Amino acid sequence: SGLLVVARTAAAHAALSAAFRAHAIEREYLAIVWGAPDAAEPRLAGLPGVAWEAGGVLRIEAAIGRHPVDRKRMAVVTRGGRHAVTRVRVVQRFGSLAALVACRLETGRTHQIRVHLAHVGHPLVGDPVYARRRSLPAAVPVGIKAALRGFPRQALHAARLGLRHPVSGAP
């Protein structure tokens, strides 16, 4: 869900296409993920391409390409993929079950947020392709379990789109 940009003229389309190719468009997505990325998580410290930046921002720099076995999926790959960078900041934790995160894209690859977050062990709630079914602690109320398990789509929302007007150049 969320924002999208539409060009009304061929000139605007060409300018917007050039801006996307140059990575001059700011994109921020909100997502609900399983668990919550944490700098104290030892598993994250050992993953190649994963680093923590100032302000508790998780930086994932990992190439994305076709999954080696399932060609319909994308995956983090060590050879032959395309460079991809996602920055993730936890906005709100929902205990240890899930978290609301803000994701900023430096690049724009197919399924980038979904693949990167699954790679670090925090896939999107409701993602039928990249998230494995999770067992939830018995203490979790039935209503919350039902909401998490029954989420009807990927919990991903295009929240912010920053660009310069293709004619005036105004932000």
Side-chain angles (χ1 to χ4, degrees):
S1 67
L3 303 167
L4 60 102
V5 62
V6 178
R8 289 182 49 203
T9 66
H13 180 266
L16 287 168
S17 294
F20 273 102
R21 270 192 311 280
H23 305 292
I25 307 269
E26 289 183 38
R27 291 159 293 169
E28 184 175 74
Y29 294 79
L30 294 176
I32 298 176
V33 298
W34 289 106
D38 189 326
E41 206 175 332
R43 186 183 47 75
L44 288 179
L47 283 175
V50 174
W52 289 94
E53 297 180 335
V57 174
L58 174 63
R59 184 176 194 271
I60 307 164
E61 182 173 4
I64 294 176
R66 291 276 169 206
H67 191 281
V69 176
D70 184 352
R71 304 297 291 165
K72 293 179 183 177
R73 294 175 51 195
M74 305 302 282
V76 167
V77 295
T78 54
R79 291 182 294 161
R82 297 185 70 197
H83 178 255
V85 179
T86 305
R87 286 184 169 82
V88 180
R89 178 180 50 82
V90 174
V91 176
Q92 183 176 356
R93 293 175 191 276
F94 305 113
S96 61
L97 284 180
L100 173 64
V101 297
C103 302
R104 297 200 71 177
L105 297 180
E106 188 174 300
T107 55
R109 306 292 177 227
T110 302
H111 299 180
Q112 179 174 327
I113 292 171
R114 297 168 67 195
V115 170
H116 273 176
L117 287 170
H119 174 68
V120 299
H122 298 286
L124 299 178
V125 167
D127 190 336
V129 176
Y130 298 102
R132 297 182 318 273
R133 183 153 170 88
R134 301 251 168 171
S135 59
L136 299 174
V140 176
V142 173
I144 292 175
K145 281 183 183 178
L148 287 171
R149 287 197 174 127
F151 202 81
R153 62 179 183 83
Q154 304 152 29
L156 183 64
H157 175 75
R160 187 167 168 250
L161 186 60
L163 57 113
R164 296 210 165 266
H165 189 276
V167 175
S168 72

